[in-house]
Amino acid sequence: MDRTVWYRRKLFAVPLFSLALATPFFATLAATETCSASPKGTTEQIVQKTPIHRIVFQVNSDDPTTMKHAITNSLNAFKNYTDKNEPVAIEIVAYGPGVHMFRADTSPVKDLLQYLRANHPAVVFSMCGNTKAIMEKNEGRPLPLVDGTQVVPFGVARLVELQEAGWTYLRP
């Protein structure tokens, strides 16, 4: 082996090996936070941060029962975590035939969505933009959407992105 090649390999291997050993330490350090003192000021504690519960529901069916399950599951999750004073974020992603859920003209659950929005305004309604464009082309008109619905480029890509970001994926 050429001495120059050997030296280059050694030069890059040592820092990479050191980084690999240090990574678990820094990950553990980042996952905790130090609390300065108890209310009486006598002890110092390390407190684990309370994670936010992030849940994404997939709706890809025009079956009203599936849509109702997504809504009631969302309400149940909100109730469970808010009763425990734990933060929660919920998004419902509809694509394919499931976009009827968020169409103002064809939604079989429009009243339930209004109830959900009124009681939990932070819930996110996401509709697949690709499916929306196909339906608009086929129907020759823009689709009216339920208030608060956001359009994402692709529903399946949105699901992947949320799962990669650590969201819990549920399919009612």
Side-chain angles (χ1 to χ4, degrees), residues 116-140:
L116 180 60
R117 172 70 66 212
N119 290 285
H120 301 286
V123 69
V124 177
F125 301 153
S126 294
M127 174 190 271
C128 175
N130 188 52
T131 304
K132 179 180 180 283
I134 292 168
M135 287 183 166
E136 287 176 338
K137 183 179 178 186
N138 290 341
E139 295 179 25

mmCIF file of all heavy atoms in Angstrom, residues 116-140:
data_model
loop_
_atom_site.group_PDB
_atom_site.id
_atom_site.type_symbol
_atom_site.label_atom_id
_atom_site.label_comp_id
_atom_site.label_asym_id
_atom_site.label_seq_id
_atom_site.Cartn_x
_atom_site.Cartn_y
_atom_site.Cartn_z
ATOM 1 N N LEU A 116 -65.172 19.522 15.599
ATOM 2 C CA LEU A 116 -63.761 19.317 15.923
ATOM 3 C C LEU A 116 -62.995 20.627 15.848
ATOM 4 O O LEU A 116 -62.215 20.971 16.740
ATOM 5 C CB LEU A 116 -63.145 18.272 14.985
ATOM 6 C CG LEU A 116 -61.674 17.933 15.178
ATOM 7 C CD1 LEU A 116 -61.409 17.376 16.571
ATOM 8 C CD2 LEU A 116 -61.221 16.934 14.120
ATOM 9 N N ARG A 117 -63.216 21.387 14.782
ATOM 10 C CA ARG A 117 -62.527 22.672 14.601
ATOM 11 C C ARG A 117 -62.901 23.653 15.712
ATOM 12 O O ARG A 117 -62.041 24.369 16.227
ATOM 13 C CB ARG A 117 -62.885 23.238 13.223
ATOM 14 C CG ARG A 117 -62.410 24.641 12.943
ATOM 15 C CD ARG A 117 -60.924 24.811 12.768
ATOM 16 N NE ARG A 117 -60.480 24.135 11.582
ATOM 17 C CZ ARG A 117 -59.274 23.575 11.477
ATOM 18 N NH1 ARG A 117 -58.427 23.641 12.462
ATOM 19 N NH2 ARG A 117 -58.913 22.968 10.382
ATOM 20 N N ALA A 118 -64.180 23.686 16.108
ATOM 21 C CA ALA A 118 -64.625 24.615 17.150
ATOM 22 C C ALA A 118 -64.018 24.281 18.509
ATOM 23 O O ALA A 118 -63.688 25.183 19.281
ATOM 24 C CB ALA A 118 -66.149 24.602 17.241
ATOM 25 N N ASN A 119 -63.870 22.999 18.805
ATOM 26 C CA ASN A 119 -63.372 22.579 20.111
ATOM 27 C C ASN A 119 -61.859 22.407 20.167
ATOM 28 O O ASN A 119 -61.276 22.459 21.250
ATOM 29 C CB ASN A 119 -64.064 21.288 20.538
ATOM 30 C CG ASN A 119 -65.520 21.533 20.873
ATOM 31 O OD1 ASN A 119 -65.823 22.076 21.927
ATOM 32 N ND2 ASN A 119 -66.405 21.185 19.969
ATOM 33 N N HIS A 120 -61.245 22.168 19.028
ATOM 34 C CA HIS A 120 -59.798 21.972 18.966
ATOM 35 C C HIS A 120 -59.262 22.654 17.699
ATOM 36 O O HIS A 120 -58.948 21.992 16.714
ATOM 37 C CB HIS A 120 -59.455 20.478 18.960
ATOM 38 C CG HIS A 120 -59.971 19.764 20.158
ATOM 39 N ND1 HIS A 120 -59.400 19.895 21.404
ATOM 40 C CD2 HIS A 120 -61.032 18.931 20.318
ATOM 41 C CE1 HIS A 120 -60.080 19.169 22.278
ATOM 42 N NE2 HIS A 120 -61.070 18.578 21.647
ATOM 43 N N PRO A 121 -59.179 23.971 17.725
ATOM 44 C CA PRO A 121 -58.782 24.704 16.517
ATOM 45 C C PRO A 121 -57.360 24.407 16.039
ATOM 46 O O PRO A 121 -57.032 24.696 14.890
ATOM 47 C CB PRO A 121 -58.933 26.178 16.913
ATOM 48 C CG PRO A 121 -58.975 26.197 18.398
ATOM 49 C CD PRO A 121 -59.467 24.856 18.843
ATOM 50 N N ALA A 122 -56.542 23.791 16.871
ATOM 51 C CA ALA A 122 -55.166 23.498 16.465
ATOM 52 C C ALA A 122 -55.068 22.258 15.577
ATOM 53 O O ALA A 122 -54.019 22.020 14.976
ATOM 54 C CB ALA A 122 -54.276 23.320 17.687
ATOM 55 N N VAL A 123 -56.139 21.477 15.480
ATOM 56 C CA VAL A 123 -56.083 20.294 14.628
ATOM 57 C C VAL A 123 -55.878 20.746 13.185
ATOM 58 O O VAL A 123 -56.418 21.762 12.753
ATOM 59 C CB VAL A 123 -57.351 19.423 14.766
ATOM 60 C CG1 VAL A 123 -58.572 20.089 14.175
ATOM 61 C CG2 VAL A 123 -57.159 18.074 14.130
ATOM 62 N N VAL A 124 -55.064 19.988 12.447
ATOM 63 C CA VAL A 124 -54.741 20.351 11.066
ATOM 64 C C VAL A 124 -55.456 19.402 10.118
ATOM 65 O O VAL A 124 -55.387 18.182 10.278
ATOM 66 C CB VAL A 124 -53.210 20.290 10.835
ATOM 67 C CG1 VAL A 124 -52.865 20.584 9.388
ATOM 68 C CG2 VAL A 124 -52.498 21.258 11.766
ATOM 69 N N PHE A 125 -56.146 19.975 9.150
ATOM 70 C CA PHE A 125 -56.789 19.206 8.079
ATOM 71 C C PHE A 125 -55.935 19.375 6.830
ATOM 72 O O PHE A 125 -55.786 20.487 6.328
ATOM 73 C CB PHE A 125 -58.193 19.715 7.769
ATOM 74 C CG PHE A 125 -59.163 19.702 8.923
ATOM 75 C CD1 PHE A 125 -60.218 20.594 8.953
ATOM 76 C CD2 PHE A 125 -59.038 18.800 9.971
ATOM 77 C CE1 PHE A 125 -61.135 20.585 9.989
ATOM 78 C CE2 PHE A 125 -59.947 18.785 11.019
ATOM 79 C CZ PHE A 125 -61.004 19.685 11.028
ATOM 80 N N SER A 126 -55.389 18.278 6.312
ATOM 81 C CA SER A 126 -54.548 18.340 5.118
ATOM 82 C C SER A 126 -55.158 17.509 3.998
ATOM 83 O O SER A 126 -55.484 16.342 4.198
ATOM 84 C CB SER A 126 -53.141 17.821 5.415
ATOM 85 O OG SER A 126 -52.485 18.669 6.326
ATOM 86 N N MET A 127 -55.268 18.117 2.827
ATOM 87 C CA MET A 127 -55.817 17.461 1.644
ATOM 88 C C MET A 127 -54.731 17.332 0.588
ATOM 89 O O MET A 127 -53.948 18.265 0.381
ATOM 90 C CB MET A 127 -56.981 18.272 1.073
ATOM 91 C CG MET A 127 -57.519 17.743 -0.247
ATOM 92 S SD MET A 127 -58.680 18.868 -1.039
ATOM 93 C CE MET A 127 -60.200 18.307 -0.306
ATOM 94 N N CYS A 128 -54.705 16.200 -0.077
ATOM 95 C CA CYS A 128 -53.744 15.949 -1.150
ATOM 96 C C CYS A 128 -54.022 16.879 -2.336
ATOM 97 O O CYS A 128 -55.108 16.832 -2.934
ATOM 98 C CB CYS A 128 -53.821 14.488 -1.585
ATOM 99 S SG CYS A 128 -52.782 14.091 -2.995
ATOM 100 N N GLY A 129 -53.061 17.694 -2.684
ATOM 101 C CA GLY A 129 -53.207 18.611 -3.814
ATOM 102 C C GLY A 129 -53.264 17.891 -5.144
ATOM 103 O O GLY A 129 -53.944 18.340 -6.074
ATOM 104 N N ASN A 130 -52.578 16.773 -5.253
ATOM 105 C CA ASN A 130 -52.596 15.993 -6.490
ATOM 106 C C ASN A 130 -54.002 15.443 -6.751
ATOM 107 O O ASN A 130 -54.540 15.583 -7.856
ATOM 108 C CB ASN A 130 -51.571 14.857 -6.406
ATOM 109 C CG ASN A 130 -51.414 14.135 -7.710
ATOM 110 O OD1 ASN A 130 -51.186 14.750 -8.744
ATOM 111 N ND2 ASN A 130 -51.526 12.812 -7.659
ATOM 112 N N THR A 131 -54.612 14.840 -5.735
ATOM 113 C CA THR A 131 -55.979 14.319 -5.885
ATOM 114 C C THR A 131 -56.950 15.457 -6.165
ATOM 115 O O THR A 131 -57.833 15.323 -7.011
ATOM 116 C CB THR A 131 -56.405 13.559 -4.607
ATOM 117 O OG1 THR A 131 -55.465 12.535 -4.324
ATOM 118 C CG2 THR A 131 -57.784 12.956 -4.778
ATOM 119 N N LYS A 132 -56.776 16.571 -5.479
ATOM 120 C CA LYS A 132 -57.644 17.734 -5.680
ATOM 121 C C LYS A 132 -57.568 18.205 -7.131
ATOM 122 O O LYS A 132 -58.600 18.460 -7.766
ATOM 123 C CB LYS A 132 -57.239 18.858 -4.725
ATOM 124 C CG LYS A 132 -58.063 20.125 -4.853
ATOM 125 C CD LYS A 132 -57.567 21.171 -3.851
ATOM 126 C CE LYS A 132 -58.331 22.455 -3.926
ATOM 127 N NZ LYS A 132 -57.981 23.313 -5.039
ATOM 128 N N ALA A 133 -56.368 18.299 -7.678
ATOM 129 C CA ALA A 133 -56.196 18.754 -9.066
ATOM 130 C C ALA A 133 -56.856 17.790 -10.051
ATOM 131 O O ALA A 133 -57.488 18.219 -11.025
ATOM 132 C CB ALA A 133 -54.708 18.906 -9.385
ATOM 133 N N ILE A 134 -56.728 16.494 -9.804
ATOM 134 C CA ILE A 134 -57.359 15.499 -10.681
ATOM 135 C C ILE A 134 -58.873 15.631 -10.633
ATOM 136 O O ILE A 134 -59.547 15.619 -11.675
ATOM 137 C CB ILE A 134 -56.907 14.068 -10.299
ATOM 138 C CG1 ILE A 134 -55.429 13.882 -10.629
ATOM 139 C CG2 ILE A 134 -57.767 13.015 -11.003
ATOM 140 C CD1 ILE A 134 -54.812 12.628 -10.034
ATOM 141 N N MET A 135 -59.432 15.776 -9.435
ATOM 142 C CA MET A 135 -60.889 15.919 -9.299
ATOM 143 C C MET A 135 -61.377 17.209 -9.959
ATOM 144 O O MET A 135 -62.422 17.217 -10.612
ATOM 145 C CB MET A 135 -61.302 15.885 -7.831
ATOM 146 C CG MET A 135 -61.229 14.527 -7.200
ATOM 147 S SD MET A 135 -61.816 14.614 -5.489
ATOM 148 C CE MET A 135 -62.023 12.871 -5.143
ATOM 149 N N GLU A 136 -60.633 18.295 -9.785
ATOM 150 C CA GLU A 136 -61.030 19.566 -10.405
ATOM 151 C C GLU A 136 -61.004 19.461 -11.919
ATOM 152 O O GLU A 136 -61.901 19.982 -12.600
ATOM 153 C CB GLU A 136 -60.118 20.698 -9.925
ATOM 154 C CG GLU A 136 -60.388 21.092 -8.496
ATOM 155 C CD GLU A 136 -59.442 22.135 -7.956
ATOM 156 O OE1 GLU A 136 -58.315 22.295 -8.491
ATOM 157 O OE2 GLU A 136 -59.826 22.811 -6.971
ATOM 158 N N LYS A 137 -60.022 18.771 -12.459
ATOM 159 C CA LYS A 137 -59.933 18.583 -13.900
ATOM 160 C C LYS A 137 -61.114 17.744 -14.394
ATOM 161 O O LYS A 137 -61.764 18.090 -15.392
ATOM 162 C CB LYS A 137 -58.623 17.914 -14.282
ATOM 163 C CG LYS A 137 -58.436 17.748 -15.776
ATOM 164 C CD LYS A 137 -57.102 17.095 -16.096
ATOM 165 C CE LYS A 137 -57.005 16.906 -17.609
ATOM 166 N NZ LYS A 137 -55.822 16.156 -17.985
ATOM 167 N N ASN A 138 -61.414 16.671 -13.689
ATOM 168 C CA ASN A 138 -62.522 15.795 -14.087
ATOM 169 C C ASN A 138 -63.883 16.472 -13.952
ATOM 170 O O ASN A 138 -64.784 16.223 -14.757
ATOM 171 C CB ASN A 138 -62.515 14.499 -13.265
ATOM 172 C CG ASN A 138 -61.349 13.601 -13.609
ATOM 173 O OD1 ASN A 138 -60.727 13.729 -14.665
ATOM 174 N ND2 ASN A 138 -61.030 12.685 -12.706
ATOM 175 N N GLU A 139 -64.048 17.315 -12.939
ATOM 176 C CA GLU A 139 -65.331 17.974 -12.703
ATOM 177 C C GLU A 139 -65.441 19.330 -13.400
ATOM 178 O O GLU A 139 -66.531 19.906 -13.470
ATOM 179 C CB GLU A 139 -65.569 18.129 -11.196
ATOM 180 C CG GLU A 139 -65.707 16.786 -10.486
ATOM 181 C CD GLU A 139 -65.913 16.926 -8.987
ATOM 182 O OE1 GLU A 139 -66.408 17.986 -8.536
ATOM 183 O OE2 GLU A 139 -65.589 15.959 -8.266
ATOM 184 N N GLY A 140 -64.310 19.849 -13.859
ATOM 185 C CA GLY A 140 -64.322 21.123 -14.577
ATOM 186 C C GLY A 140 -64.626 22.328 -13.713
ATOM 187 O O GLY A 140 -65.132 23.330 -14.205
#
